[in-house]
Amino acid sequence: MVQYNFKKITVVPTGKEFIDIILSRTQRRTPTQVHKGYAISRLRQFYMRKVKFTQQNFHEKLSTIIDDFPRLNDIHPFYGDLLHVLYNKDHYKLALGQINTARNLIGKIAKDYVRLLKYGDSLYRCKSLKVAALGRMCTVIKRVTPSLAYLEQIRQHMARLPSIDPNSRTLLICGYPNVGKSSFVNKITRAEVDVQPYAFTTKSLFVGHTDYKYLRYQVIDTPGILDRPFEDRNIIEMCSITALAHLRAAVLFFLDISGSCGYSIAQQAALFDSIKSLFMNKPLIIVCNKTDLQALEGLSEDDMKLVMEMKSEAMKTLVGQGGEATDGSNVLLTMSTLTEEGVIAVKNAACERLLDQRVEQKMKSKKLNDCLNRFHVAMPKPRDQKERPACIPQAVLEAKAKQAEVDAEKENRKLERDLENENGGAGVYSASLKKRYILAHDEWKEDIIPEILDGHNVANFLDPDILMRLEELEREEGVLQGLEEDDDFEMDGAELTPEEQAALTEIRKKKSLLIQQHRIRKSTAESRPTIPRKFDKDKKFTSERMGRQLSSLGLDPSMAIDRARSKSRGRKRERSTDGVESMDVDGDKQNKKMRLKSRSMSRSRSMSRPPGEVVPGEGFKDSAQKKKAIKIAKSSSKNRNKEARRGEADRVIPTLKPKHLFSGKRSTGKTDRR
C-alpha cells in the first residue's frame, strides 16, 4: 500500500535564514587563513574552494526542498486534486519552479566566477571575485524569499493533512451539514471529531479506522455539502467533492429525516440528485439518521416519495455494478447516533457491500486467470459402496464434554461484582484473596501465613498470655504509683513553729514569683537576645546575692554556695600550696621554683600531640610506621613544590568550553584526525 506521509518534508527556511546557514557552514567547513606571501596558485585554489563549496551547499539545500515536495502529476489523483483545491496548483508549481531556477542560476554564477578566479593575479583580485560570487548567490536567494515563505506555509498545512491511503478499503460519509456524520464516525472508530449543534463544524477531512471480519477499514468524515452550482462551492465543500470523485469507497449518504439540521428532505434529495454522478461504480447506502426524533414510517407522503426515489437510484447503481437485484433492505437503512440504534448494522452493511464489490472486481481481473492455473483442487473418487463417515476419537469427545462443563460452570458462577452487591456494596464487602488457593484441604485456605524472621517463625516466640500479663503489670504499676503519690511529702505547716510557717510562706511566695517571671521570659524568648553573664549589671545571679537572700530567710547558705562554686566553669584553677607552706622558710628559691611551676601547670590548657603519636583509626601499626609514612609523603612532594607544579591540594577550575569541541574553524592542512 502506498502511504503518503507529508510530515517528513524538510522545513523550508526563510531567505535570511537560508543565507546565514550556508555562509556559516562555508566559514566553518573551509580554511580561513591565507597570507599574501602564498603562491598565486595557492591563493586561487583557496578562493575557488570557497565559491565551489558555497554553490554545492546551495544546490543540496534547494534540491532537498524540490525533491521533498510532491509532484502533482506523479501522485494519486486524489491528492493531486486535493492539493489543487487547497493551494492552487499553479501557484504551487510556480513556487517550485522559482526554486529550481534559483538553483540553476547559482550553479551558473559559481561556474563563471571559478573561471575568472583561474586568472586572478593577486590576493586582492581573488578575494574581490569571491565576495562578488557569494554576494550574487545571496541576491538570488533573496529574490525567491516569497516563494520560500509560501512553500513553508504549504509544508505546515500539508503536515496537518490526514494520512489517507487511496487504495485501501474505505467508507466515505457525505451529506448536508449537521446531519450526524461526525457522530457516526466517533461511534464506530476511535477518532475524536468535534461535534457541535451547528453547521460546518467539520472543515476538513478526518480519518478513523475500524475492523470488520479481521480486516481494517478507514472511515473518512467529509465536510458538509450544500446544493449549489459547482463553481460556487467553497474550499471546504470541494474537499468532500474531491474525495467522492477519486476514492474507491463505499459511500454512505446521510439523510436527516427529522429536519433538525435546518434542511428539509426535499433539499437533501436535490443534493443527492446533483452529486449522484459521483456515486457511479461505488457501493451506495442511504442512511436515515435521527430516528429517535422522527421515525421513517412517520414521514409525510411527499417526503416518503422522495426517500423512495433516492432508494431506487441507489438500487440502479447496485444493479449497474453487476450486483443482484434485491429488495433494497441493505440500501436504505435507519439509525440513531444518540441511542446507537442501528449504528453497527449500518457499519456492517457498508463493509459487506464494499468487500463484495472488491472481491468481484478481482474475480473479473486478468490476474485471476494467471493464478488459477497454479491451483489444483483434488476431489477424491469413491472406490466402493461403503460409507466412511467422519471419525472423531473418543478422547476428543471427552475433552469436548469436559470443556462444555467448564464453560457451563463459568457461566453459572457468581462474579465478584455479584458477591459485592449481595454483601453490602462497595466499601462494605472485602474480597477474599485466599479463596482461589490450590491446597490439599479447603480448610487450610484461611490459615494465617507464618511470618519468618532470621529463619525462625515469629509465632513460635509469641506468648499467647502476653495481653493478660500486660494487664497485670499495668495494675501493679498503678498500685506502685499510688503508693508514691501517698509518700510524696507536702508540707502543710501543721507541725511547724510560727517562725518556720512564716519562712515557708515567704518561700512559696518567692517560688510563685519566680515561676511567673520564667513564664514571661519564656513567652518572649524567641525575640529576646541572649545576654552573657558578664553583662549582668543588676548582679542578679551572683553567689553572694544568693547567700544574702538565704540568710535573710534564716537558712544556712554555706553548702549552697560551695556547691555553686564547685559547679562553676571558671577558668582559674586552685593552686596547691600545701607543699610550699610545709617547707622551711629558708628554702625561698625552692619555694619560688615550685610556685612558678605550679603557675605554669595551671595556665596550660592542653598538650599538643607529638607527630609520631598514633591516633586510633589512622591505620598505622605503631609510631615508627607513622613517622616513616610522613617522611615519604614529604619527600614525594618536595620536587613538585620546588618546580611549582600543581598538586592534588591545588584548586582546580575546569575549562567550561574545551577548544576541541567549541572551535568553529579548521586550519589549512590535513584532516587525518577525523
Side-chain angles (χ1 to χ4, degrees):
M1 295 194 307
V2 181
Q3 291 288 340
Y4 295 94
N5 189 2
F6 299 131
K7 295 180 177 64
K8 293 183 179 179
I9 300 176
T10 309
V11 177
V12 182
T14 61
K16 187 176 182 305
E17 292 175 351
F18 208 117
I19 294 170
D20 291 343
I21 290 169
I22 301 300
L23 293 184
S24 64
R25 184 179 296 175
T26 302
Q27 186 74 353
R28 284 185 286 109
R29 299 284 184 85
T30 58
T32 56
Q33 292 182 355
V34 67
H35 301 289
K36 59 183 179 181
Y38 288 168
I40 189 65
S41 59
R42 186 174 179 181
L43 295 174
R44 292 169 184 165
Q45 190 65 32
F46 178 86
Y47 287 108
M48 285 165 60
R49 182 177 177 182
K50 293 267 188 187
V51 175
K52 287 180 181 178
F53 189 84
T54 307
Q55 183 265 334
Q56 288 173 0
N57 282 327
F58 273 121
H59 187 275
E60 291 174 1
K61 197 78 174 173
L62 294 173
S63 300
T64 303
I65 294 173
I66 294 170
D67 296 339
D68 281 353
F69 279 90
R71 297 184 180 181
L72 300 184
N73 297 331
D74 297 342
I75 61 176
H76 194 275
F78 163 69
Y79 273 112
D81 280 3
L82 184 63
L83 296 179
H84 173 56
V85 167
L86 295 174
Y87 317 121
N88 191 343
K89 65 180 179 181
D90 295 333
H91 293 177
Y92 177 77
K93 289 182 177 179
L94 189 62
L96 287 177
Q98 289 179 350
I99 300 299
N100 189 29
T101 304
R103 181 178 63 177
N104 296 335
L105 284 175
I106 289 174
K108 289 179 181 179
I109 291 170
K111 186 176 180 181
D112 294 342
Y113 276 91
V114 167
R115 188 183 298 115
L116 293 173
L117 278 168
K118 287 181 180 179
Y119 302 100
D121 55 356
S122 65
L123 174 64
Y124 177 74
R125 183 68 57 85
C126 294
K127 185 174 183 180
S128 299
L129 290 173
K130 186 266 297 186
V131 171
L134 267 61
R136 287 188 62 184
M137 292 180 192
C138 295
T139 303
V140 172
I141 295 298
K142 284 182 180 178
R143 288 179 180 173
V144 296
T145 298
S147 298
L148 293 172
Y150 174 71
L151 289 175
E152 173 60 17
Q153 290 183 356
I154 289 180
R155 184 199 67 81
Q156 293 178 2
H157 196 279
M158 289 174 67
R160 293 191 290 268
L161 288 178
S163 181
I164 298 174
D165 184 6
N167 301 317
S168 178
R169 294 169 289 273
T170 307
L171 305 181
L172 194 63
I173 304 170
C174 64
Y176 256 95
N178 204 22
V179 295
K181 302 186 294 296
S182 300
S183 301
F184 176 71
V185 172
N186 290 343
K187 294 293 182 184
I188 66 171
T189 68
R190 288 189 293 179
E192 295 181 357
V193 188
D194 189 20
V195 177
Q196 298 294 340
Y198 49 80
F200 286 109
T201 307
T202 305
K203 298 181 181 179
S204 62
L205 300 177
F206 284 89
V207 181
H209 293 84
T210 186
D211 291 334
Y212 178 72
K213 289 186 177 179
Y214 304 103
L215 296 175
R216 177 61 59 90
Y217 290 78
Q218 62 180 1
V219 185
I220 301 178
D221 180 21
T222 62
I225 310 173
L226 299 179
D227 182 24
R228 52 186 176 181
F230 186 80
E231 57 273 5
D232 294 342
R233 290 195 168 100
N234 56 23
I235 295 177
I236 298 176
E237 295 174 90
M238 287 305 298
C239 291
S240 301
I241 298 298
T242 304
L244 284 169
H246 293 289
L247 291 178
R248 294 190 311 165
V251 180
L252 281 73
F253 185 84
F254 270 56
L255 197 65
D256 185 2
I257 59 178
S258 68
S260 61
C261 64
Y263 306 98
S264 63
I265 296 181
Q267 291 175 310
Q268 299 178 58
L271 173 65
F272 180 84
D273 293 335
S274 65
I275 63 173
K276 66 181 179 181
S277 59
L278 300 173
F279 302 150
M280 297 303 295
N281 300 324
K282 295 184 179 71
L284 175 62
I285 296 177
I286 299 171
V287 181
C288 297
N289 193 17
K290 302 185 182 179
T291 55
D292 55 315
L293 300 177
Q294 174 67 53
L296 182 63
E297 295 78 9
L299 292 177
S300 62
E301 294 182 0
D302 296 338
D303 292 342
M304 183 61 76
K305 184 179 179 182
L306 293 172
V307 173
M308 290 297 111
E309 289 177 357
M310 296 166 63
K311 179 181 177 182
S312 62
E313 290 289 339
M315 292 288 293
K316 289 179 183 177
T317 59
L318 177 63
V319 175
Q321 295 166 13
E324 298 180 356
T326 60
D327 57 351
S329 60
N330 59 348
V331 174
L332 180 65
L333 299 174
T334 60
M335 74 167 194
S336 172
T337 54
L338 182 64
T339 60
E340 299 187 10
E341 181 182 356
V343 171
I344 302 301
V346 170
K347 185 197 86 168
N348 294 344
C351 295
E352 191 67 36
R353 288 277 304 278
L354 180 63
L355 199 59
D356 293 343
Q357 189 213 28
R358 290 171 68 92
V359 170
E360 188 176 351
Q361 287 180 350
K362 289 183 179 179
M363 293 294 291
K364 291 180 181 179
S365 65
K366 295 180 181 180
K367 293 182 179 179
L368 187 64
N369 296 326
D370 298 336
C371 296
L372 283 177
N373 58 6
R374 304 177 190 174
F375 299 109
H376 173 69
V377 181
M379 298 296 294
K381 295 180 181 180
R383 61 175 182 264
D384 51 22
Q385 301 298 325
K386 188 176 180 180
E387 293 186 1
R388 293 179 175 85
C391 178
I392 303 175
Q394 185 64 28
V396 175
L397 294 175
E398 292 177 358
K400 189 174 181 181
K402 191 173 183 180
Q403 183 65 33
E405 293 178 1
V406 172
D407 294 341
E409 184 182 351
K410 285 184 178 179
E411 291 180 0
N412 297 330
R413 79 179 182 195
K414 289 186 178 181
L415 302 177
E416 288 292 336
R417 185 180 298 172
D418 302 331
L419 295 173
E420 182 182 29
N421 295 332
E422 292 176 2
N423 296 300
V428 178
Y429 172 73
S430 179
S432 175
L433 303 178
K434 300 180 180 180
K435 62 183 179 182
R436 301 289 180 195
Y437 286 0
I438 302 175
L439 301 175
H441 301 285
D442 290 340
E443 58 268 14
W444 292 356
K445 292 181 179 180
E446 299 301 328
D447 289 352
I448 298 174
I449 298 176
E451 184 178 356
I452 306 300
L453 180 66
D454 297 334
H456 300 286
N457 189 354
V458 177
N460 296 336
F461 298 91
L462 292 179
D463 188 356
D465 302 331
I466 189 169
L467 294 177
M468 185 174 66
R469 296 188 180 185
L470 179 62
E471 292 178 359
E472 293 178 359
L473 285 174
E474 288 178 350
R475 283 197 297 270
E476 292 179 4
E477 187 177 357
V479 172
L480 292 175
Q481 286 180 353
L483 292 175
E484 289 177 358
E485 289 176 358
D486 293 341
D487 292 342
D488 285 345
F489 176 72
E490 182 67 26
M491 194 177 291
D492 54 358
E495 301 176 356
L496 299 179
T497 61
E499 293 81 6
E500 291 176 345
Q501 289 181 358
L504 178 61
T505 305
E506 193 68 26
I507 289 172
R508 286 178 175 174
K509 184 177 179 182
K510 186 68 175 179
K511 182 179 178 181
S512 62
L513 185 62
L514 290 174
I515 291 173
Q516 291 177 4
Q517 290 178 356
H518 174 68
R519 288 176 179 172
I520 293 172
R521 286 198 303 272
K522 189 176 181 181
S523 63
T524 60
E526 295 180 358
S527 60
R528 189 180 70 254
T530 304
I531 301 175
R533 182 71 61 86
K534 64 180 180 179
F535 295 112
D536 183 17
K537 303 299 183 183
D538 298 335
K539 302 294 183 182
K540 294 182 179 179
F541 307 107
T542 60
S543 57
E544 289 81 2
R545 183 176 178 183
M546 181 180 68
R548 288 196 301 270
Q549 290 178 348
L550 292 176
S551 299
S552 64
L553 296 175
L555 301 175
D556 185 12
S558 57
M559 295 181 65
I561 291 173
D562 292 341
R563 186 176 182 279
R565 284 176 178 169
S566 66
K567 292 291 184 180
S568 65
R569 293 179 295 175
R571 294 181 60 86
K572 293 183 179 180
R573 297 188 180 180
E574 296 179 359
R575 296 173 183 159
S576 177
T577 57
D578 297 339
V580 178
E581 291 175 356
S582 62
M583 285 185 180
D584 195 286
V585 182
D586 297 332
D588 291 336
K589 292 182 180 181
Q590 194 172 359
N591 292 342
K592 189 175 181 180
K593 286 181 181 180
M594 290 294 292
R595 285 197 299 271
L596 290 174
K597 188 177 181 180
S598 62
R599 187 180 300 170
S600 64
M601 289 293 291
S602 65
R603 287 180 180 174
S604 62
R605 292 294 176 263
S606 62
M607 298 289 289
S608 60
R609 188 180 293 113
E613 184 179 346
V614 178
V615 179
E618 285 186 338
F620 295 112
K621 184 172 63 176
D622 52 10
S623 60
Q625 190 180 23
K626 183 175 180 181
K627 288 178 182 179
K628 187 176 180 181
I630 294 172
K631 186 177 180 181
I632 293 172
K634 286 182 179 180
S635 63
S636 64
S637 61
K638 186 183 296 183
N639 292 332
R640 185 177 65 245
N641 295 342
K642 189 176 181 181
E643 297 173 5
R645 285 188 287 131
R646 185 173 65 183
E648 63 270 10
D650 292 311
R651 184 184 178 196
V652 178
I653 301 177
T655 306
L656 297 181
K657 289 190 175 183
K659 187 176 180 181
H660 70 283
L661 290 180
F662 291 90
S663 59
K665 301 180 181 179
R666 288 168 50 196
S667 60
T668 56
K670 297 181 180 179
T671 57
D672 293 341
R673 64 181 179 82
R674 293 189 171 219

